[in-house]
Every structure is written in C-alpha cells, then in structure tokens.
Amino acid sequence: MKYTLENINELAKDPAAFVAACEKRYQDKVTACAKSLAENSDKSPIIMLAGPSGSGKTTTAMKLKEVICGLGHDCQVVSMDDYFKTVDPATHPRDSKGNIDFESPHCMDIPLFIEHMGLLRDGKSVKVPHFDFPNQRRHPDMFTELLIPRKGLCILEGIHALNPMFSEGHEEFTQKVYVSARSNISFNGTLLFKGTWVRLVRRMIRDNNFRGLDAVRTMNLWGSVRHGEKAYISPYKDLARHQIDTHMLYETCILRGTALPMLDNVRAGCDRERELRAIKPALEQFPGIDLELLPKDSLLREFVGNL
C-alpha cells in the first residue's frame, strides 16, 4: 500500500474492506516473523523485542506468541519493565535538565537481567520481579516463575531489548525483533503526517484512556521520550533480524474522531505547542471511519481499549 492521502481517500470509500486489508497485512508480517523465530528455537529460544513508545510492542509480542504456540511451541511473554529498579533520587540517572531520566537503560537492573539470561540459557528457572509502577518500586514479595522448556521460546519485550548490554555474553542465544510505526503519509508529493505523529496520537489517546492525561501532558513528556528513543533505542534497531512496521494505513481515519477533541484543548505557551497545533489541521484532512469497525483484536486496541 502507498502511504499517501490520495490512496487513503480512495480506499476509505469501502471502510470495512480497507480496515480488513490493513489488519491482514499486519498479521501477515507477524505470521512470517513468528515462523522464522520458531524455526530457530533450538539455537536461539530468547526473542528480544524492542520498539519506541506507541509502537505496539505489547500487542505484537502477544500476537507473535499466538502464532508460535499455534505452530506447536510453548511461548511466554515477559515485560522487561519488571526489571526496573526501585526509584532512588540519589542514584537514578539524570538528564541535561537535572530531571530523572526514566528513559535511560540504567534505570533497569541490568546485572539481574544478565544473570537471568544465563540461567534460562542453562535450562534453569528464574524469578522475574514485579515492578509496582504507581509506587515506583520493585514489589518485595511478588515475582513470576519463568522456565523455557525444550523447543520453547520466551519473548522479552521492552524499549531496551536490542541494547547489547542486555544480552552481553548471550548474543547467540537470542533473536531480535524491532517494531515501530515508521511510515510517513504524503499529499501531493509533500509530507502531510509524520510517522512519529502516528505514535504520538496513539500515545495521547492511550494516556487519556488509561492514565488520565490530556494531550498537553503527553506532549510535555514527549520531548524526553523522543530524546530517549534517539539515544537508547534507534541506534540499535539495525541489530534486529526482523523489523515490523505497525502503522495501519487506515488508523488516522479511525483515530481522528478521538484525537481531534483532545487537540482542541492545547493551551498557548505549552511545551511543543507549535508541533501540537500542526497535528490537528493535518489530521482533519483524513476521511473519518467509524470506530465500531475497529476489530476487537486489532493492535490499535492497545491504545483505544475495548470500547
């Protein structure tokens, strides 16, 4: 599919078929990737899956698991977020403004993660910790037992999964996957909607639905998120054998109805105001598609929820 407004306008004339075709295209990518991962399970049973904020890592990991299990392999998904260290203002890394840099890999318990990689490699079980996000600490009494059975696979999903420091000494034991919504959309040969805006709109909607944050608050965090992507995620994306673009060509049409009212509330003088105000007129140019046409198992449900 071409990522142009002209093509979107044409395809949106039959919205149900448009949505179905995009969902199938994404699922075909996932299926092809999963089959390749399963074929290499004996040698490399650990799958390191990374991607920036709003890329759909969690859903993609679960869909990969579904296909892998359907091929007759045991497969588990573990969020690397549970390896975050309890927040300590005295020792946590800081950014250039002196704020805690929550995007830094050094917020994570790297030695414990590497230790667990070695144990899993040797066929032993590990106790995956549980991070209590509301209280910003590792829960002292909660953990999940993890063991990779023979011919089984484990997907370790997180923004830093491709960073070599998390697989040091165990590279040949791993397979790497990178996911992101990467495609720009053009109109009359000119850039209309950036791929990063696709992820930003997803995150705005998710933050509002699940975290009670408005678009301005999301944008206030976006600068730090983008800095983290450029410093800690993008440099390693080419280490991945598999790359999946999760951008659904129809999604600007189906998310615009939710995003536009949020963008109406942008306040003068807010952080990155100019960029926020540029998104709305661009988004308004897309034809609308009823949210009821969104499949129950769509990747976009990770952001809009089950309405």
Side-chain angles (χ1 to χ4, degrees), residues 88-128:
D88 183 351
T91 60
H92 260 53
R94 300 273 176 170
D95 61 22
S96 60
K97 297 180 180 179
N99 301 315
I100 292 179
D101 185 2
F102 289 106
E103 306 300 318
S104 169
H106 296 289
C107 289
M108 303 187 70
D109 193 338
I110 300 173
L112 178 64
F113 188 86
I114 292 294
E115 177 188 342
H116 282 187
M117 286 279 284
L119 290 169
L120 291 170
R121 179 179 185 175
D122 293 337
K124 299 177 181 178
S125 66
V126 301
K127 293 182 177 180
V128 177

Side-chain angles (χ1 to χ4, degrees), residues 8-66:
I8 290 172
N9 283 332
E10 183 64 29
L11 292 167
K13 292 177 181 178
D14 187 346
F18 185 19
V19 170
C22 292
E23 291 288 339
K24 182 180 183 302
R25 183 168 180 257
Y26 164 68
Q27 185 60 49
D28 287 347
K29 296 177 192 175
V30 169
T31 299
C33 179
K35 287 180 178 179
S36 177
L37 295 170
E39 287 172 359
N40 293 288
S41 62
D42 285 345
K43 179 182 177 182
S44 305
I46 292 287
I47 301 164
M48 309 291 283
L49 187 150
S53 177
S55 60
K57 294 185 296 297
T58 301
T59 299
T60 301
M62 296 306 296
K63 286 185 176 291
L64 286 169
K65 172 185 175 179
E66 182 179 349

Side-chain angles (χ1 to χ4, degrees), residues 38 41 65-75 150-153:
S41 62
K65 172 185 175 179
E66 182 179 349
V67 176
I68 290 170
C69 289
L71 294 170
H73 296 265
D74 181 90
C75 185
R150 186 174 177 273
K151 292 190 177 181
L153 295 103

Side-chain angles (χ1 to χ4, degrees), residues 10 23 27 31 43 62 82-83 85 90 102 126-127 155 200-201 204 207 246-247 267 286 291 295:
E10 183 64 29
E23 291 288 339
Q27 185 60 49
T31 299
K43 179 182 177 182
M62 296 306 296
D82 280 319
Y83 285 89
K85 296 184 289 188
F102 289 106
V126 301
K127 293 182 177 180
I155 301 173
L200 176 56
V201 167
M204 282 194 304
D207 283 355
T246 65
H247 185 172
R267 297 188 297 272
F286 292 90
L291 194 58

